[in-house]
Protein backbone atom coordinates (compact mmCIF):
# COMPACT_ATOMS: atom_id res chain seq x y z
CA UNK A 1 0.00 0.00 0.00
CA UNK A 2 2.80 2.43 0.84
CA UNK A 3 4.44 1.72 -2.49
CA UNK A 4 1.25 2.60 -4.39
CA UNK A 5 0.82 5.77 -2.40
CA UNK A 6 4.42 6.76 -3.11
CA UNK A 7 3.96 5.89 -6.78
CA UNK A 8 0.77 7.98 -6.97
CA UNK A 9 2.54 10.89 -5.25
CA UNK A 10 5.51 10.64 -7.62
CA UNK A 11 3.15 10.51 -10.63
CA UNK A 12 1.27 13.58 -9.42
CA UNK A 13 4.53 15.45 -8.89
CA UNK A 14 5.70 14.56 -12.40
CA UNK A 15 2.42 15.67 -13.95
CA UNK A 16 2.45 18.91 -11.96
CA UNK A 17 5.89 19.65 -13.38
CA UNK A 18 4.73 19.03 -16.95
CA UNK A 19 2.70 22.18 -17.43
CA UNK A 20 -0.75 20.80 -16.69
CA UNK A 21 -1.65 24.00 -14.86
CA UNK A 22 1.04 26.45 -15.92
CA UNK A 23 0.50 26.16 -19.68
CA UNK A 24 -3.23 27.00 -19.69
CA UNK A 25 -2.62 29.69 -17.05
CA UNK A 26 0.01 31.33 -19.25
CA UNK A 27 -2.21 30.98 -22.33
CA UNK A 28 -5.18 32.58 -20.58
CA UNK A 29 -2.95 35.41 -19.35
CA UNK A 30 -1.83 36.10 -22.93
CA UNK A 31 -5.46 36.05 -24.10
CA UNK A 32 -6.44 38.46 -21.33
CA UNK A 33 -3.63 40.81 -22.32
CA UNK A 34 -4.85 40.61 -25.94
CA UNK A 35 -8.27 41.68 -24.71
CA UNK A 36 -6.57 44.69 -23.10
CA UNK A 37 -4.96 45.56 -26.46
CA UNK A 38 -8.36 45.36 -28.14
CA UNK A 39 -9.91 47.48 -25.40
CA UNK A 40 -7.24 50.16 -25.83
CA UNK A 41 -7.80 50.25 -29.59
CA UNK A 42 -11.57 50.29 -29.08
CA UNK A 43 -11.27 53.18 -26.63
CA UNK A 44 -9.31 55.11 -29.23
CA UNK A 45 -11.83 54.18 -31.92
CA UNK A 46 -14.71 55.36 -29.73
CA UNK A 47 -13.13 58.51 -28.29
CA UNK A 48 -11.32 60.09 -31.21
CA UNK A 49 -14.24 60.21 -33.69
CA UNK A 50 -16.47 61.85 -31.08
CA UNK A 51 -13.86 64.56 -30.58
CA UNK A 52 -13.31 64.84 -34.32
CA UNK A 53 -17.01 65.56 -34.76
CA UNK A 54 -16.70 68.33 -32.19
CA UNK A 55 -13.87 70.05 -34.04
CA UNK A 56 -15.17 69.49 -37.59
CA UNK A 57 -16.91 72.85 -37.66
CA UNK A 58 -13.71 74.70 -36.80
CA UNK A 59 -11.67 72.80 -39.36
CA UNK A 60 -13.67 73.00 -42.58
CA UNK A 61 -10.47 73.38 -44.59
CA UNK A 62 -9.18 70.13 -43.08
CA UNK A 63 -12.33 68.15 -43.84
CA UNK A 64 -10.54 65.59 -46.00
CA UNK A 65 -8.20 64.59 -43.19
CA UNK A 66 -11.06 64.36 -40.70
CA UNK A 67 -13.01 62.19 -43.16
CA UNK A 68 -9.96 59.95 -43.53
CA UNK A 69 -9.85 59.54 -39.74
CA UNK A 70 -13.52 58.54 -39.60
CA UNK A 71 -13.14 56.11 -42.52
CA UNK A 72 -9.96 54.61 -41.05
CA UNK A 73 -11.75 54.20 -37.73
CA UNK A 74 -14.56 52.32 -39.44
CA UNK A 75 -12.07 50.00 -41.11
CA UNK A 76 -10.08 49.54 -37.89
CA UNK A 77 -13.16 48.46 -35.98
CA UNK A 78 -14.36 46.16 -38.76
CA UNK A 79 -11.26 43.96 -38.56
CA UNK A 80 -11.82 41.78 -35.51
CA UNK A 81 -9.55 39.11 -34.10
CA UNK A 82 -10.42 36.70 -31.33
CA UNK A 83 -8.11 35.07 -28.82
CA UNK A 84 -8.40 31.85 -30.85
CA UNK A 85 -6.98 33.67 -33.89
CA UNK A 86 -3.74 34.68 -32.14
CA UNK A 87 -1.85 31.75 -33.68
CA UNK A 88 -2.73 32.91 -37.22
CA UNK A 89 -0.08 35.43 -38.36
CA UNK A 90 -2.30 36.58 -41.28
CA UNK A 91 -5.21 37.53 -39.04
CA UNK A 92 -2.91 39.33 -36.59
CA UNK A 93 -1.25 41.15 -39.51
CA UNK A 94 -4.63 42.23 -40.94
CA UNK A 95 -5.65 43.60 -37.53
CA UNK A 96 -2.35 45.47 -37.18
CA UNK A 97 -2.61 46.90 -40.72
CA UNK A 98 -6.07 48.32 -40.03
CA UNK A 99 -4.89 49.84 -36.76
CA UNK A 100 -1.79 51.30 -38.45
CA UNK A 101 -3.96 52.95 -41.13
CA UNK A 102 -6.11 54.51 -38.40
CA UNK A 103 -2.99 55.72 -36.57
CA UNK A 104 -1.62 57.22 -39.81
CA UNK A 105 -4.84 59.15 -40.37
CA UNK A 106 -4.63 60.55 -36.86
CA UNK A 107 -1.00 61.52 -37.51
CA UNK A 108 -2.00 63.49 -40.63
CA UNK A 109 -4.67 65.27 -38.59
CA UNK A 110 -2.13 66.29 -35.95
CA UNK A 111 0.31 67.47 -38.64
CA UNK A 112 -2.38 69.68 -40.17
CA UNK A 113 -3.18 71.17 -36.78
CA UNK A 114 0.49 72.00 -36.25
CA UNK A 115 0.66 73.59 -39.70
CA UNK A 116 -2.17 76.02 -38.85
CA UNK A 117 -1.38 77.76 -35.53
CA UNK A 118 -4.80 79.45 -35.40
CA UNK A 119 -6.37 76.02 -35.02
CA UNK A 120 -4.08 75.12 -32.11
CA UNK A 121 -5.51 77.91 -30.00
CA UNK A 122 -8.88 76.23 -29.95
CA UNK A 123 -9.49 74.14 -26.86
CA UNK A 124 -11.17 71.40 -28.87
CA UNK A 125 -8.01 70.71 -30.83
CA UNK A 126 -5.97 70.61 -27.63
CA UNK A 127 -8.44 68.14 -26.15
CA UNK A 128 -8.27 66.05 -29.30
CA UNK A 129 -4.48 66.01 -29.24
CA UNK A 130 -4.43 65.11 -25.54
CA UNK A 131 -6.86 62.25 -26.14
CA UNK A 132 -4.82 60.96 -29.10
CA UNK A 133 -1.69 61.00 -26.97
CA UNK A 134 -3.44 59.31 -24.06
CA UNK A 135 -4.97 56.68 -26.32
CA UNK A 136 -1.64 55.92 -27.97
CA UNK A 137 0.02 55.62 -24.55
CA UNK A 138 -2.66 53.15 -23.43
CA UNK A 139 -2.16 51.14 -26.62
CA UNK A 140 1.61 51.10 -26.14
CA UNK A 141 1.26 49.81 -22.59
CA UNK A 142 -1.35 47.20 -23.58
CA UNK A 143 0.81 45.96 -26.48
CA UNK A 144 3.87 45.76 -24.23
CA UNK A 145 1.95 43.78 -21.60
CA UNK A 146 0.54 41.48 -24.30
CA UNK A 147 3.96 40.81 -25.81
CA UNK A 148 5.37 40.07 -22.34
CA UNK A 149 2.57 37.55 -21.72
CA UNK A 150 3.10 36.01 -25.18
CA UNK A 151 6.81 35.68 -24.53
CA UNK A 152 6.14 33.96 -21.19
CA UNK A 153 3.63 31.57 -22.78
CA UNK A 154 5.78 30.78 -25.83
CA UNK A 155 8.80 30.17 -23.58
CA UNK A 156 6.76 27.95 -21.27
CA UNK A 157 5.47 25.70 -24.07
CA UNK A 158 8.97 25.29 -25.48
CA UNK A 159 10.97 24.60 -22.31
CA UNK A 160 11.27 21.48 -20.19
CA UNK A 161 9.31 20.19 -18.33
CA UNK A 162 6.24 22.25 -19.39
CA UNK A 163 6.86 21.48 -23.05
CA UNK A 164 5.85 17.88 -22.36
CA UNK A 165 2.41 18.78 -21.07
CA UNK A 166 2.00 21.54 -23.64
CA UNK A 167 2.59 19.10 -26.49
CA UNK A 168 0.90 15.97 -25.14
CA UNK A 169 -2.12 17.41 -23.35
CA UNK A 170 -2.82 20.69 -25.13
CA UNK A 171 -1.22 20.57 -28.56
CA UNK A 172 -0.07 24.10 -27.74
CA UNK A 173 1.06 26.39 -30.55
CA UNK A 174 3.07 29.59 -30.16
CA UNK A 175 1.02 32.79 -29.99
CA UNK A 176 1.91 35.59 -32.41
CA UNK A 177 3.34 38.71 -30.73
CA UNK A 178 2.21 42.16 -31.79
CA UNK A 179 4.79 43.78 -34.06
CA UNK A 180 5.39 47.36 -35.11
CA UNK A 181 4.64 48.25 -38.69
CA UNK A 182 7.56 48.30 -41.11
CA UNK A 183 9.45 51.59 -40.92
CA UNK A 184 8.17 52.45 -37.43
CA UNK A 185 11.75 52.85 -36.24
CA UNK A 186 12.23 55.91 -38.48
CA UNK A 187 11.67 59.38 -37.07
CA UNK A 188 8.61 61.00 -38.71
CA UNK A 189 9.14 64.22 -40.63
CA UNK A 190 7.62 67.20 -38.86
CA UNK A 191 7.41 70.53 -40.64
CA UNK A 192 6.01 73.71 -39.15
CA UNK A 193 6.34 75.77 -42.32
CA UNK A 194 4.53 75.76 -45.63
CA UNK A 195 5.39 72.90 -47.94
CA UNK A 196 5.22 75.13 -51.05
Amino acid sequence: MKFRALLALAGAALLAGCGLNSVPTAEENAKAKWADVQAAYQRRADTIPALVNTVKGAAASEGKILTDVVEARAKATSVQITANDLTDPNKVAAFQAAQNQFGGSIGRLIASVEAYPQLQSQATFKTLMDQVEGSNNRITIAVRDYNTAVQAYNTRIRTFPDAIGAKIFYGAKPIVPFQAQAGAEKMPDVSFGNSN
Side-chain angles (χ1 to χ4, degrees):
M1 285 295 185
K2 287 183 182 183
F3 179 72
R4 286 186 183 178
L6 286 174
L7 188 59
L9 251 155
L14 285 173
L15 287 176
C18 290
L20 284 181
N21 291 324
S22 60
V23 169
T25 300
E27 181 180 27
E28 290 304 316
N29 184 46
K31 288 179 179 180
K33 296 301 181 187
W34 179 251
D36 292 343
V37 170
Q38 290 180 309
Y41 276 119
Q42 187 63 51
R43 181 193 180 279
R44 180 177 75 172
D46 292 342
T47 304
I48 304 305
L51 291 169
V52 167
N53 286 334
T54 303
V55 298
K56 261 187 177 178
S61 64
E62 301 305 315
K64 167 94 173 81
I65 293 171
L66 295 171
T67 301
D68 288 349
V69 169
V70 172
E71 289 173 358
R73 183 259 182 192
K75 183 174 181 182
T77 56
S78 71
V79 177
Q80 296 296 318
I81 186 169
T82 66
N84 293 330
D85 296 328
L86 295 177
T87 58
D88 184 344
N90 293 329
K91 289 183 180 180
V92 173
F95 179 84
Q96 286 180 244
Q99 297 304 327
N100 291 340
Q101 182 181 1
F102 186 40
S105 296
I106 293 170
R108 287 190 300 280
L109 174 64
I110 291 172
S112 73
V113 170
E114 290 173 345
Y116 298 95
Q118 70 275 12
L119 297 178
Q120 283 185 332
S121 65
Q122 298 176 13
T124 53
F125 275 100
K126 177 161 180 14
T127 300
L128 174 61
M129 291 170 60
D130 289 345
Q131 287 295 325
V132 167
E133 179 183 7
S135 292
N136 288 338
N137 287 340
R138 283 178 183 86
I139 290 167
T140 299
I141 290 167
V143 166
R144 182 197 64 212
D145 291 348
Y146 168 71
N147 282 345
T148 299
V150 166
Q151 179 186 14
Y153 171 76
N154 288 346
T155 300
R156 184 168 297 281
I157 67 169
R158 294 177 56 210
T159 55
F160 183 81
D162 291 344
I164 296 167
K167 184 92 169 157
I168 294 172
F169 296 109
Y170 301 112
K173 295 179 185 176
I175 294 176
V176 180
F178 198 95
Q179 298 175 355
Q181 72 185 67
E185 72 282 355
K186 295 178 186 170
M187 180 71 167
D189 292 330
V190 177
S191 173
F192 296 101
N194 290 339
S195 58
N196 293 343

